[in-house]
Amino acid sequence: MHGVSSYVEPPEEDSTKFISLAKDALNRWKQQDFSSEAFSVVNRVLELNPDEYTLWNYHKRFVVDKIERVRQEDPSSFQEVIEQLFESEFNLTQRALYRHPKAYSAWQHRIFLLKVAKSSLPPTIYDNFFKRELEICAKLLDLDDRNFHGWAHRMRVGEIKGIQITREELDFVTDRIYANFSNYSAWHHRSRILPVLFGDQPEEYNRVIQEDLELVKQAIFTEPEDQSAWFYFGWLLRGAPSSHAPVSILDVDNEMLKKELSTLEELLVLEPKCKYALLMKFHLLYQFGELGNAEALLTQLQILDPLRNGYYQHLKEKMRQKS
Amino acid sequence: MEELKDAYFDVVVTKTGLPESVLAALLASSGKSVLHLDSNPFYGSDWATLSLGKLKNHFASCYLSQNGATKPRDTTTSTELQQMILQKEQFQQYNNINIVPVEEIRTFSDVQIVDLCSAVEDEWLKSTLIDLTPQIILASGQAVDMLVRTQASSHLEFRGVDQVLYLDSSGHTERVPTSRNDIFRSTLLTPSEKRLFMKFLKTCAVYEPSLFQYEGRDGGLLSAGQVVSSNEERGEKEQLQEWFASVQSLDDWLDKLGFTDRLKQYLFALLGCCGERYESCSVVHVVERISQYCCAVQRFRISSGFLYCKYGTGDICEALCRRCAVHGGVYILRRQVAYLICDSLQVIGLVTDYGDVIRCSGVVGCLHYFMPTCQIETTINNKGMWRLYMILDRPILLPGKGVDVFTTSRSVPVHDNIANEQSPSQQSTCWVQGIQIEQSIDSSHTAYVFYLFCDQVEHGKTILKKTLEQWTNPTLEENTSHYSIDLMSFLRQLPGLKYAMLLFHRDWEPSFSLGHHYCCSLTKDMHSMQSQLGKVYTCFENILGDLQT
């Protein structure tokens, strides 16, 4: 999260002890030792440091093997045993994530479990798993709105399940934006969903884009220093292109751009020093071909924002080359 | 009680209202011995929180019955008393002893009640809590500091206020945006207004440097994790200096900033809840208050920034009394002062209505003296507040979840015949404040308690009625309200009303007081605890000063 340090609890064991534990665990993996003693050692190491990817592989191997074994040896109690297995695996990842909410490998293991569940368990059970995943994502986002892992997980879960993105998803994103609009991930998620939802209905899409422009306008005016809204605004002005399609779905006409230009001017009256507004205005003027004014803006920006002098200089040169 | 005879206390406090309880707690924790009396069988006196059943009993016995004045239980005559006191060892050193009969000030009057509970409803309504003086306090500020300092906060639970509402003159109720998200979501403000308001709040916030100790939480003014860069901060500080340098009237200043009417209304609503009145505000005041307010919004995840004590102000009084008792204070209920013992106009002791003679160095309380020789009159100034308490089974202010606070100003013609509205000679503004609280009695019943206060003495009842009318029948225009129906009849027709009580609370100031007798009375606005705690501290300093000599 920008500007806030992520706090990780210091491990209870000191580093030498941890190293010896880790070595022990890795050895057991080499020897394919799946006894319960080995298990506890591996789990301990994972709880302390979920980034130890090899040990997650240990678990993956264990899960796959166990499923095979039970299916062959004792098919009647398959469901119960496997359910228990999954419960314990999920619990392990949960414990690990609780302490280190940004550990990629732990999230990855959950995805793996979901994939395996989908292929080997009856639908009722894995439906529950999916529901729970979405709930967990929602809770995670409650705690920390900008945790992109939560958003990414949501999307991957959706992909695995094979569900289509629905209105519900859009409502969820809108809720989160209303809760806190300086939220890059929520805006980004929105930009991913909208093309998929409305890709085939251009008029509907147009209407939704207009609404979104209004929404973003509120955000920009309330907090012109907040970059996340500006990024989304830029995306809308480019025609809300989907990341998959190379050409924008929406035909951006000058009408709409002129309207947005007047919005920017309105903001600049109140906040003449807002650099994002000036930069956006520059892009629009460049689009319209008013190169003289555009260059004046860049000069203004160079004075206001000396840290990015190089970038503005580069834009100037690029513009001069084109003309 | 036998133990009280021949007792000595540093300070005797009468009545366990809020200022008195604060004083008791502060004095006891400073090491003074405190005796705290109250004539009621409950704590809090005028600031108490009572269940409906107890409230009905209390008002029936004290205010509605015709036998008003309390007579001292003890039948000893005052001359006999004087003799008895002179013989006591503690009073031997004094030559000139006077016995002054006293009576506690009755501040509530003109009580009228509408009781529409059926027998069945009575059962569950009985336990609805009614706060005689509901208080909202800012989440950071003097009131909270006092509660933490006296450790009373460990006995208390608070709820956040959910909405601050503003009622404009045409009867529309608007929610005042108090945080960044509110401003973002508001559909009534134009984008430029939003920018202006945000900038104003943020610039005021910089005035209070402790704001940046708190992590910005969503709902606060800073976006999550945002640290204001030094450039911005400097810019805002310069802005503040510019504001202070230009000393102007409040209206001019706001116009210069570009505030529209709606923004001004929101600002006044916020200031009103913090205890500032528009007429008496200067630019510096406004910035200070708003900066304090921004601190409060940042502190907890309560976007309105105000707290309400879950069990009412009476609970706060009880908690303070508990702290006093922990430090050695003695508490006796159902006891009051009958006489003050004075040595040439300085209080040196008192006699209770049970005949206890107590030697003390100071008495705190609002007492009415009967001293025919000195012609002392306690002036009852012409200030007070009309207070309406209602219990309903449905909310008046929607959506009616939790605690809603509202404030509004009404202009009222003065020196005018009420029936003749054609010539409003002068207009004065008065404030109407109120709180609506959703109380869930048990799993199946919810009661809505509604408080409405107006500080205009003459036309208070009419104003209250008009305000209520605007909510229940919003199409009614201000001028066409029916004068023929009075407030009580109107209440009887109000849908959903179960119980209503109207009374008048008179502000009281002593014109003279005896030495070592301290009176600390606060006005009973809903923000008094927040805005007038300074008076209590001054009184405390005085008492300590006198006790030292």
Side-chain angles (χ1 to χ4, degrees), chain B residues 462-482:
Chain B
T462 332
I463 295 174
L464 289 178
K465 187 173 70 95
K466 279 196 208 175
T467 319
L468 275 177
E469 271 175 353
Q470 280 178 329
W471 275 318
T472 51
N473 191 355
T475 53
L476 215 55
E477 282 186 17
E478 208 172 293
N479 293 330
T480 63
S481 75
H482 310 284

Side-chain angles (χ1 to χ4, degrees), chain A residues 227-264:
Chain A
Q227 220 181 11
S228 42
W230 285 109
F231 269 126
Y232 190 68
F233 187 53
W235 177 75
L236 286 173
L237 288 183
R238 283 200 297 276
S242 151
S243 51
H244 303 301
V247 180
S248 76
I249 301 172
L250 185 65
D251 233 342
V252 178
D253 56 351
N254 275 358
E255 267 305 312
M256 188 174 93
L257 290 181
K258 279 217 164 66
K259 192 167 84 110
E260 295 312 316
L261 186 61
S262 63
T263 312
L264 284 176

Side-chain angles (χ1 to χ4, degrees), chain A residues 118 276 283:
Chain A
K118 185 168 178 198
Y276 301 117
H283 282 299

Side-chain angles (χ1 to χ4, degrees), chain B residues 244-389:
Chain B
F244 291 158
S246 61
V247 179
Q248 298 158 343
S249 83
L250 189 60
D251 246 346
D252 288 341
W253 176 58
L254 289 177
D255 281 335
K256 201 166 104 163
L257 286 179
F259 264 50
T260 57
D261 279 339
R262 172 162 275 134
L263 286 183
K264 281 193 200 173
Q265 282 170 1
Y266 288 162
L267 186 62
F268 298 148
L270 287 181
L271 289 173
C273 287
C274 296
E276 293 289 334
R277 297 181 69 114
Y278 163 50
E279 303 93 62
S280 56
C281 248
S282 66
V283 171
V284 184
H285 249 137
V286 171
V287 174
E288 265 176 22
R289 278 282 166 269
I290 296 291
S291 136
Q292 224 181 19
Y293 181 73
C294 293
C295 271
V297 171
Q298 288 285 113
R299 189 164 184 170
F300 303 113
R301 269 190 169 190
I302 301 167
S303 66
S304 69
F306 288 107
L307 299 172
Y308 176 76
C309 183
K310 199 162 159 199
Y311 299 106
T313 320
D315 207 28
I316 300 183
C317 299
E318 275 187 41
L320 289 163
C321 292
R322 197 173 303 179
R323 292 315 303 170
C324 177
V326 161
H327 288 283
V330 176
Y331 276 83
I332 307 180
L333 295 181
R334 293 189 188 82
R335 190 79 50 110
Q336 61 184 80
V337 183
Y339 299 97
L340 287 181
I341 306 172
C342 309
D343 164 46
S344 54
L345 292 189
Q346 191 169 335
V347 173
I348 53 170
L350 54 85
V351 184
T352 69
D353 55 346
Y354 268 85
D356 315 295
V357 176
I358 298 167
R359 164 97 179 83
C360 65
S361 304
V363 171
V364 176
C366 297
L367 301 168
H368 182 87
Y369 314 120
F370 296 104
M371 272 179 89
T373 52
C374 286
Q375 297 288 318
I376 297 169
E377 265 299 313
T378 46
T379 47
I380 298 176
N381 58 21
N382 199 17
K383 282 207 286 184
M385 199 181 281
W386 284 99
R387 309 170 74 79
L388 180 60
Y389 306 88

Side-chain angles (χ1 to χ4, degrees), chain A residues 2-4 142 145-146 177-182 215 217-219 221-226 266 270-271, chain B residues 180-181 183-186 189 191-192 194-196 198-199 202 215 218 221 223-227 232 301:
Chain A
H2 290 236
V4 176
D142 265 335
D145 246 332
R146 302 165 72 169
I177 290 180
Y178 275 136
N180 182 3
F181 66 78
S182 58
L215 184 68
K217 188 170 161 182
Q218 310 299 321
F221 272 79
T222 309
E223 187 83 59
E225 303 294 321
D226 195 300
E266 207 184 316
L270 295 169
E271 293 286 339
Chain B
R180 202 179 66 142
N181 289 331
I183 297 179
F184 170 57
R185 277 185 289 207
S186 154
L189 291 174
S192 339
K194 289 189 188 189
R195 184 64 216 137
L196 278 172
M198 254 318 276
K199 197 157 112 172
K202 257 180 117 170
E215 212 179 273
D218 49 79
L221 280 178
S223 49
Q226 177 188 2
V227 174
E232 286 175 35
R301 269 190 169 190

Side-chain angles (χ1 to χ4, degrees), chain B residues 112 114 116 388-390 465 468 485-495 497 500-502:
Chain B
Q112 290 173 280
V114 169
L116 300 171
L388 180 60
Y389 306 88
M390 301 194 287
K465 187 173 70 95
L468 275 177
I485 315 179
D486 76 330
L487 178 58
M488 297 326 274
S489 326
F490 174 77
L491 285 174
R492 248 172 255 275
Q493 299 169 7
L494 194 63
L497 185 77
M501 180 167 75
L502 173 73

